[in-house]
Amino acid sequence: MKIKIDTEFIKLDSLLKYASIVQTGGEAKDLILDEQVKLNGEIITQRGKKIRPGDVVETLDQIIEIEG
């Protein structure tokens, strides 16, 4: 799926909620800390990681491409 953002970045936990991957920040935190989220092919464990246009986030068999 492609997500368009109009800002410089979006934080990882907010992106997961915005993309309807999770319903709450707590669910996002658990998913991230369980090492089930990849940013540009690398496992990421920082829920506040800044995601920018051009980044690709993978989780739960979903691929999210960020567009500016």
Side-chain angles (χ1 to χ4, degrees), residues 21-54:
I21 303 292
V22 296
Q23 299 300 312
T24 67
E27 288 178 20
K29 177 183 172 185
D30 291 343
L31 195 64
I32 295 164
L33 291 178
D34 286 345
E35 299 185 348
Q36 296 187 47
V37 180
K38 289 183 180 179
L39 171 61
N40 300 325
E42 295 184 24
I43 292 173
I44 192 80
T45 57
Q46 300 167 286
R47 62 192 262 201
K49 180 74 175 169
K50 294 177 181 175
I51 309 300
R52 293 181 162 83

Side-chain angles (χ1 to χ4, degrees), residues 5 10 12 46 58:
I5 60 172
I10 184 172
L12 180 58
Q46 300 167 286
E58 299 174 58

Side-chain angles (χ1 to χ4, degrees), residues 48-65:
K49 180 74 175 169
K50 294 177 181 175
I51 309 300
R52 293 181 162 83
D55 285 338
V56 176
V57 175
E58 299 174 58
T59 186
L60 302 178
D61 297 325
Q62 298 275 341
I63 298 174
I64 306 165
E65 297 176 41

